[in-house]
């Protein structure tokens, strides 16, 4: 019995040792478990940082794209300006005040409220050098008087006066830009003759109203349908324009040829053609020197030229030529503007003397005050009577420190 007990005891001891060894092998080591947890935490941290960097990069790219899109100029351009004016005029409002000045020189002053110009601009850039521009102008808050030919009433004129102002489409053109030095424009546009026509914005003249000189004797703002070629190269800018001629039926002693650009019809008569040009130089910093001109026939540019009996005037041209020089100095806290205009209408072979002058000259000099005068010694043979007209006193140019 003792021998049996001794034999079985080692067996049980060996089994116990084997069991404990297996449990020790299956149990995780404390260092390995700690490393696994640290690795898992590091992976999670790296993943979070990577996601954060990706989100930040994407956000930056989106913001850059949005910023570029916002900074990109719109193809559509909308603009405009308006003028509201109150004046007190210390001269007679009688239309004969210049014909009989002694009779009306002591008349009382009179006041006015006015909306000289309210303008809306619309433009669009089609790309590849193609663009469009429009300008709709409301003058004096109303619509213009209209003259229509009534064919049912023997072709007589019928006048319909709605309000004293005017609504006009001053610009409507399509432009192809080949380069800064070569641009072709077709449609209705500003005629670049004289300083006021080319620079007629409210910030481009000193007074409340546009200067009376060019505004009185030239069409202003002068706009016609035609073809224009313009560009700028270095310190030079040029523009040449082909357009219909002025209509001598609408010339007069109060404004020389200023009414000749208008038409009482629903179309513009173009029996005669004309050309205009303008050259600007910017060589001196702050100084612009400009030369402009116009030439075209006027007598045949009316419906009456095709009526019975008009053959006797078939050789009459009524050529109008206008030359203008204007300048702008804008530097050293000073703005100085000035201009000189000269106009001449040829037609010595006309059978009747005119009621307005053949030649006209206007000068606006630096710090000069005087009276502009349109009148002249020579005579244009026309269907009207000869007279001279003189405008009211006006400062020819003002200097204003900024």
């Amino acid at each position: 019995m003792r021998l049996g007990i001794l034999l079985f005891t080692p067996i049980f001891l060996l089994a116990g040792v084997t069991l404990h060894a297996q449990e020790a092998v299956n149990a995780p080591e404390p260092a390995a478990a700690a490393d696994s947890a640290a690795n898992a935490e590091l992976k999670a941290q790296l993943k979070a940082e990577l996601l954060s960097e990706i989100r930040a990069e994407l956000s930056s790219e989106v913001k850059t794209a949005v910023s570029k899109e916002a900074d990109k100029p719109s193809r559509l351009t909308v603009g405009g300006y308006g003028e509201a004016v109150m004046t007190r005029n210390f001269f007679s409002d009688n239309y004969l005040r210049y014909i009989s000045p002694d009779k009306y020189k002591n008349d009382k002053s009179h006041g006015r409220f006015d909306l000289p110009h309210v303008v809306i601009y619309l433009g669009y850039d089609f790309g590849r050098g193609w663009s469009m521009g429009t300008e709709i102008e409301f003058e004096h808050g109303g619509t213009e008087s209209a003259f229509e030919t009534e064919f049912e009433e023997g072709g007589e004129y019928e006048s319909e006066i709605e309000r004293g102002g005017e609504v006009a489409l001053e610009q409507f053109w399509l432009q192809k830009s080949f380069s800064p030095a070569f641009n072709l424009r077709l449609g209705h546009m500003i005629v670049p003759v004289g300083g006021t026509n080319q620079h007629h914005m409210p910030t481009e003249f000193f007074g409340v109203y546009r200067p009376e000189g060019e505004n009185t004797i030239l069409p202003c703002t002068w706009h016609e349908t035609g073809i224009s070629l313009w560009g700028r190269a270095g310190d030079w800018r040029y523009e040449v324009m082909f357009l219909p001629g002025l209509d001598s039926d609408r010339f007069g002693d109060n404004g020389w040829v200023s009414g000749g650009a208008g038409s009482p019809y629903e179309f513009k008569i173009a029996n005669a053609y004309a050309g205009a040009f303008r050259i600007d130089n910017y060589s001196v910093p702050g100084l612009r020197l400009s030369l402009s001109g116009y030439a075209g026939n006027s007598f045949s540019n009316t419906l009456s030229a095709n009526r019975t009996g008009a053959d006797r005037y078939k050789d009459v041209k009524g050529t109008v030529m206008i030359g203008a020089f204007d300048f702008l100095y804008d530097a050293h806290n000073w703005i100085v503007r000035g201009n000189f205009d000269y106009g001449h209408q040829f037609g010595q072979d006309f059978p009747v003397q005119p009621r307005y002058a053949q030649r006209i000259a206007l000068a606006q000099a630096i710090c000069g005050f005087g009276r502009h005068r349109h009148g002249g010694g020579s005579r244009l043979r026309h269907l009207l009577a000869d007279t001279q007209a003189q405008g009211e006193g006006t400062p020819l140019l003002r200097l204003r420190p900024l």
Side-chain angles (χ1 to χ4, degrees), residues 109-374:
S109 63
H110 56 282
R112 297 177 182 178
F113 283 88
D114 191 13
L115 295 174
H117 305 93
V118 178
V119 177
I120 299 174
Y121 296 118
L122 292 175
Y124 193 82
D125 183 1
F126 298 100
R128 296 184 179 274
W130 289 97
S131 60
M132 179 193 72
T134 66
E135 177 183 342
I136 303 173
E137 181 170 81
F138 302 85
E139 292 187 1
H140 307 291
T143 56
E144 63 181 330
S145 59
F147 288 84
E148 297 180 355
T149 303
E150 299 293 336
F151 293 96
E152 298 81 6
E153 301 178 12
E156 69 176 2
Y157 292 109
E158 179 176 301
S159 176
E160 297 179 358
I161 301 178
E162 299 170 356
R163 286 190 63 183
E166 175 184 346
V167 178
L169 183 64
E170 288 203 349
Q171 295 193 66
F172 181 77
W173 45 260
L174 186 67
Q175 178 174 286
K176 171 62 175 177
S177 296
F178 299 93
S179 70
F182 191 84
N183 304 271
L184 182 63
R185 183 176 294 180
L186 304 92
H188 200 77
M189 66 201 82
I190 301 298
V191 180
V193 177
T196 307
N197 279 311
Q198 186 72 358
H199 304 280
H200 58 274
M201 301 298 172
T203 57
E204 295 179 317
F205 51 87
F206 291 132
V208 175
Y209 290 100
R210 294 173 182 175
E212 292 183 4
E214 290 184 335
N215 195 35
T216 301
I217 63 175
L218 299 180
C220 188
T221 306
W222 193 351
H223 49 94
E224 294 282 9
T225 302
I227 303 173
S228 172
L229 182 66
W230 70 276
R232 178 164 180 172
D235 295 329
W236 295 88
R237 184 191 182 277
Y238 74 92
E239 182 173 2
V240 292
M241 183 176 177
F242 174 76
L243 65 156
L246 297 170
D247 181 2
S248 61
D249 273 4
R250 264 151 273 287
F251 296 172
D253 57 348
N254 288 327
W256 198 51
V257 302
S258 61
S263 174
Y265 313 105
E266 296 176 349
F267 54 90
K268 179 60 185 287
I269 302 172
N271 295 329
Y273 305 104
F277 78 93
R278 183 177 183 87
I279 299 175
D280 301 312
N281 179 263
Y282 301 88
S283 298
V284 180
L287 177 65
R288 171 184 56 78
L289 301 175
S290 304
L291 185 68
S292 58
Y294 167 92
N297 296 336
S298 65
F299 183 74
S300 60
N301 211 28
T302 175
L303 290 183
S304 61
N306 298 319
R307 292 179 179 174
T308 304
D311 291 342
R312 58 177 175 166
Y313 305 125
K314 63 181 180 179
D315 296 327
V316 179
K317 304 298 182 181
T319 304
V320 175
M321 299 190 71
I322 301 171
F325 168 78
D326 63 276
F327 71 90
L328 167 66
Y329 179 76
D330 187 354
H332 302 94
N333 296 325
W334 284 88
I335 297 178
V336 184
R337 298 185 178 99
N339 65 278
F340 173 82
D341 304 83
Y342 179 82
H344 188 95
Q345 183 171 18
F346 299 86
Q348 294 291 346
D349 53 348
F350 213 92
V352 182
Q353 299 173 356
R355 66 182 173 113
Y356 57 89
Q358 181 181 3
R359 289 197 303 260
I360 184 169
L362 165 70
Q364 295 184 331
I366 297 177
C367 293
F369 288 81
R371 304 174 68 86
H372 67 266
R373 174 175 182 142
H374 45 277

